[in-house]
Amino acid sequence: MKLRRSNERGFADHGWLRSYHTFSFAHYMDPAHMGFRALRVINEDRVAPGRGFGTHPHRDMEIISYVLDGEMAHEDSLGNGETMRVGDVQRMSAGTGVRHSEYNASSTEGLHFLQIWIEPAATGITPSYEQKAFSSEARTNQWRLIVSPDGREDSVSLHQDVNLYTGLFEGEVPTPPPHRHAWLQLVSGELTVNGEQLTTGDAAALGPDETLEISQAKGAHVLLFDLA
């Protein structure tokens, strides 16, 4: 198991935006952390009230947004206009090309969300969009599938062989879902993973022959990627 500690991540402070980069992104370059399997980006973004990312283009990337706190306004060239709230998951397949913007929908409160990029199984696909809400009850003390290649269990579908689970845990943690290659991201709280103590922002990577044992959760909000 390889650990990626929170304080080792890249960091950018633009005033209106404070962003932590788990993998190389924009002006942050770390050849040892260019991604993990098809997982290319995990950015933890905090956006000031009324500010955001203006309209910009993307191609050939599966872009997942997961709101942790606040509200995010999304618009894109596909004609979608949505406001995302806590627990909402959005998938935008950029494919042949799409333009979009994301803004903090509040003029008084901050926005905290994760931006996740996954490389698609094929390039040049037709751009598409999907968004679903996952209540805290559906994520409490259980592993909830939120993204999958086939949209099973009412998850958001993805053009890649990746399953993404989340959970809000306290105390004992149920046996995690099986994995091929696993990336575990601790969004917040504390967690013991294979005997190692993880705290907010830490991550762990495991191969297909490595057992994943999780215990001693304290206010733990976890993301678990199962990747081919």
Side-chain angles (χ1 to χ4, degrees):
M1 184 176 74
K2 295 183 179 179
L3 298 180
R4 175 68 157 151
R5 294 295 186 184
S6 176
N7 60 5
E8 298 173 348
R9 297 180 295 175
F11 177 68
D13 189 344
H14 301 284
W16 64 272
L17 169 67
R18 299 175 70 249
S19 183
Y20 285 94
H21 309 316
T22 295
F23 305 112
S24 296
F25 185 84
H27 297 295
Y28 168 64
M29 179 59 64
D30 181 353
H33 295 93
M34 296 299 296
F36 181 75
R37 311 297 292 179
L39 178 58
R40 179 61 187 83
V41 168
I42 302 178
N43 287 349
E44 180 184 357
D45 292 342
R46 294 180 183 272
V47 182
R51 302 297 299 273
F53 305 88
T55 302
H56 58 283
H58 282 293
R59 294 178 62 91
D60 293 322
M61 193 64 69
E62 302 287 283
I63 302 171
I64 298 169
S65 299
Y66 181 43
V67 176
L68 305 175
D69 191 33
E71 297 185 350
M72 184 170 76
H74 167 90
E75 292 186 358
D76 61 47
S77 55
L78 304 176
N80 299 298
E82 301 280 353
T83 298
M84 297 182 64
R85 296 174 175 83
V86 175
D88 286 0
V89 175
Q90 173 200 102
R91 183 267 304 158
M92 187 175 63
S93 298
T96 55
V98 67
R99 296 178 62 83
H100 68 114
S101 65
E102 274 78 32
Y103 280 88
N104 185 340
S106 172
S107 61
T108 58
E109 303 297 326
L111 166 65
H112 186 197
F113 77 106
L114 294 181
Q115 179 184 171
I116 299 165
W117 292 10
I118 294 176
E119 297 173 353
T123 59
I125 64 175
T126 301
S128 60
Y129 171 95
E130 187 178 8
Q131 179 176 319
K132 292 189 176 181
F134 298 91
S135 68
S136 59
E137 291 79 11
R139 296 175 287 145
T140 297
N141 291 324
Q142 59 184 315
W143 293 102
R144 178 63 166 96
L145 182 67
I146 58 174
V147 176
S148 69
D150 54 5
R152 68 188 185 279
E153 300 177 24
D154 201 31
S155 61
V156 172
S157 61
L158 186 74
H159 297 94
Q160 182 54 276
D161 188 6
V162 173
N163 298 296
L164 173 55
Y165 301 86
T166 190
L168 308 170
F169 300 111
E170 191 69 42
E172 294 187 8
V173 178
T175 302
H179 69 272
R180 282 103 23 114
H181 296 266
W183 183 274
L184 184 148
Q185 187 74 38
L186 182 55
V187 179
S188 59
E190 299 179 12
L191 203 64
T192 300
V193 179
N194 290 3
E196 294 281 354
Q197 183 73 20
L198 272 64
T199 58
T200 296
D202 289 349
L206 298 95
D209 297 326
E210 296 177 278
T211 300
L212 177 58
E213 297 181 353
I214 306 175
S215 61
Q216 300 178 17
K218 295 181 181 179
H221 186 174
V222 187
L223 291 180
L224 177 60
F225 296 82
D226 160 46
L227 306 111

